[in-house]
Amino acid sequence: MKLNTKLSALCIAATLMSVAQAAAAAPAVTAPAEATQPSVASPAASAPAQVPAPAASAPATTPAPAQAPSAPASSPPAAAAGSAKAATPVAPSAPAQRPSTSVAPAAAPIVPSTVKPSKPQQPSTSAPAAAATNVKPTQLDKLNHESAVPLVLEAQSRYQYAISGGSPVGKSFQLNGKSYRYLSEDIGTKTKLISYLTQAYTKQASEQFVGKFFVEVNGRLAQLNADGGNLLEFNRATAKMVTMTPVKRSYLLTVPYPAQTKKANEKITVNFEKVGSYWKISSAPHVIF
């Protein structure tokens, strides 16, 4: 009876030892199985496949840790994501939106550049100057040291046309032993010549000039057969206001000679008067030119 008891105790002990060994081997098998689960996103079924054969999987599980390095393989996805990000700038379609954010700052500097051209108010300041030049000298309603010179040039042009007999000059004839010529048809009468001159001069200044240099023969104007003029360059003249009233002003003109003559500049005073809405020269033409 004692012998049977000892045998049964030994059997129980052996059984317990085998169970303990099996229990000790079980965690070694399950640990790799759990390691494989993180490496695979969805393979939950693969884990149970290894559980049924613990003994055989023990040697087979040792390579399973080799799959554990596949866990770094989970990090390559991060690298792959990085490569995807790096690739996105290269792709013309996908990166178009991302670089667009970087392009936006680039576009922002362009806006100030467009603003700078708009600032060019300097052209706007030149615009009034251009407008001043577009004003006809014969319709000058604002007189200053700049607009006075164009009016003087207009007056000089009309003086020279009249003193040279117009175009074409009429035929010549003798009167009192002197050679005369008729003026051209467009200024051939006193009325026509006065009308022509008063575009730049006052009526009084025009009549003073006509009475001094022209004679009336058979209703037509004639003059001595000679030409007049001087070398002064009124186109390079400068003007300085001397006196001023609402309807009368005087300017001192500094007029140069051609450089080759080596003569000093002339100082000529020109009087202006407002007739109606426009300014006219009230000095007689021959006094100025």
Side-chain angles (χ1 to χ4, degrees):
M1 188 70 182
K2 293 180 178 179
L3 181 61
N4 291 335
T5 304
K6 290 181 179 179
L7 289 175
S8 62
L10 289 174
C11 291
I12 292 170
T15 304
L16 291 174
M17 288 181 64
S18 64
V19 171
Q21 289 177 355
V29 173
T30 55
E34 291 177 356
T36 54
Q37 289 178 353
S39 64
V40 180
S42 60
S46 63
Q50 295 177 353
V51 174
S57 61
T61 52
T62 50
Q67 295 177 352
S70 66
S74 61
S75 64
S83 64
K85 293 179 181 177
T88 49
V90 179
S93 59
Q97 296 179 350
R98 291 182 183 176
S100 66
T101 56
S102 62
V103 172
I110 297 173
V111 175
S113 66
T114 54
V115 173
K116 290 179 182 177
S118 65
K119 288 181 183 179
Q121 296 172 354
Q122 294 175 348
S124 68
T125 55
S126 63
T133 57
N134 291 334
V135 175
K136 292 182 179 180
T138 56
Q139 297 178 355
L140 185 64
D141 57 353
K142 293 181 181 179
L143 185 65
N144 54 45
H145 69 283
E146 292 181 347
S147 60
V149 175
L151 181 52
V152 170
L153 290 176
E154 180 68 22
Q156 181 190 29
S157 175
R158 291 176 184 268
Y159 161 77
Q160 289 179 339
Y161 185 79
I163 204 68
S164 62
S167 180
V169 177
K171 68 176 184 177
S172 300
F173 61 94
Q174 294 293 319
L175 181 64
N176 300 325
K178 295 180 181 180
S179 178
Y180 284 82
R181 66 187 177 198
Y182 289 109
L183 274 60
S184 60
E185 183 64 28
D186 56 336
I187 56 172
T189 65
K190 187 175 180 179
T191 302
K192 289 181 179 179
L193 182 55
I194 294 294
S195 177
Y196 174 74
L197 293 172
T198 51
Q199 297 297 310
Y201 300 91
T202 62
K203 186 176 181 181
Q204 181 179 1
S206 301
E207 290 177 343
Q208 185 180 352
F209 170 63
V210 172
K212 185 174 180 66
F213 290 93
F214 301 92
V215 295
E216 192 170 7
V217 179
N218 299 324
R220 292 187 60 186
L221 285 182
Q223 64 182 166
L224 287 170
N225 201 356
D227 292 327
N230 58 52
L231 298 176
L232 288 172
E233 296 182 339
F234 282 88
N235 60 319
R236 296 198 295 127
T238 58
K240 181 179 180 181
M241 188 173 62
V242 180
T243 62
M244 181 183 72
T245 69
V247 294
K248 291 185 179 181
R249 294 180 188 177
S250 295
Y251 285 86
L252 180 64
L253 268 60
T254 302
V255 190
Y257 282 96
Q260 61 271 22
T261 61
K262 297 182 179 180
K263 290 185 176 181
N265 297 340
E266 291 284 349
K267 302 287 187 178
I268 303 172
T269 300
V270 181
N271 299 320
F272 298 82
E273 185 177 337
K274 196 166 189 180
V275 179
S277 300
Y278 305 126
W279 287 93
K280 309 292 182 183
I281 293 177
S282 56
S283 300
H286 56 280
V287 174
I288 305 172
F289 309 110

